[in-house]
Amino acid sequence: MMRTFDLAPLYRATVGFDQVADLMDRVLAGETTQNNYPPYNIEKTDESAWRISIAVAGFGADDLAVEVRENALIVTARKAEDDQEGRTFLHRGIATRAFERRFHLADHVKVTGASHLDGMLHIDLVREVPEALKPRRIEISSQKPQDANLIEEKSVN
């Protein structure tokens, strides 16, 4: 089942929200094409913090890579071929196929760390809004406004 949405009204009524429309396009397009390997959880650990936990059974820490590039968190895994030499499997139910999983990060979301424990890769994220973008309260004075002290430059003749 293919869903299509017309985002033209969004473009007509907004300025600077191109990223939102692009994100919606990516999510809707990826709904049917993205596989579910490996399974993962996204957990909210605080008001501005999250943890992504990815099931990576069969992979060691050296087989995994976590990278942040252009507001995207990219997790890749590749199992070394020499690990399988000389081994004969009668049944192989633990998938160790290579994968790449991408997560789009919102502005000011930073990766603070990653850990590999008990077959799970945990990636911690936090939103760090710069001071300049944080809301600030302006004190309202009841005194008469003061004129700005302007210094006039004297022209050089």
Side-chain angles (χ1 to χ4, degrees), residues 2-13 21 24-25 28:
M2 181 73 174
R3 288 188 229 168
T4 59
F5 294 95
D6 181 17
L7 298 178
L10 178 66
Y11 288 118
R12 283 194 306 260
M24 288 174 62
D25 280 341
L28 294 172

Side-chain angles (χ1 to χ4, degrees), residues 20-97:
V20 173
D22 291 343
L23 177 60
M24 288 174 62
D25 280 341
R26 276 197 305 273
V27 167
L28 294 172
E31 253 180 19
T32 57
T33 60
Q34 188 161 25
N35 68 26
N36 293 324
Y37 178 77
Y40 65 92
N41 293 335
I42 300 176
E43 171 187 3
K44 188 168 185 146
T45 58
D46 194 16
E47 187 62 32
S48 295
W50 303 266
R51 173 174 289 146
I52 298 173
S53 299
I54 304 173
V56 290
F59 289 100
D62 294 338
D63 301 324
L64 301 166
V66 178
E67 181 181 1
V68 176
R69 186 178 348 138
E70 299 172 6
N71 281 6
L73 170 64
I74 304 163
V75 180
T76 55
R78 301 222 184 295
K79 191 73 171 162
E81 291 298 321
D82 58 344
D83 287 353
Q84 309 306 320
E85 287 182 21
R87 298 173 78 182
T88 304
F89 292 95
L90 300 178
H91 171 74
R92 190 159 189 178
I94 300 172
T96 55
R97 65 183 182 266

Side-chain angles (χ1 to χ4, degrees), residues 84-154:
Q84 309 306 320
E85 287 182 21
R87 298 173 78 182
T88 304
F89 292 95
L90 300 178
H91 171 74
R92 190 159 189 178
I94 300 172
T96 55
R97 65 183 182 266
F99 69 86
E100 179 178 286
R101 171 71 66 181
R102 291 177 175 261
F103 300 91
H104 187 75
L105 302 178
D107 291 338
H108 313 299
V109 172
K110 308 288 182 218
V111 175
T112 59
S115 61
H116 182 249
L117 180 67
D118 298 331
M120 299 292 288
L121 175 64
H122 301 285
I123 303 167
D124 293 311
L125 305 114
V126 67
R127 176 180 290 130
E128 294 177 351
V129 178
E131 280 300 318
L133 297 178
K134 287 183 181 176
R136 56 188 181 113
R137 188 173 178 96
I138 307 300
E139 185 177 330
I140 300 173
S141 171
S142 60
Q143 297 177 357
K144 177 183 170 196
Q146 296 180 2
D147 292 333
N149 295 326
L150 299 177
I151 300 174
E152 293 182 22
E153 290 185 31
K154 295 187 181 192

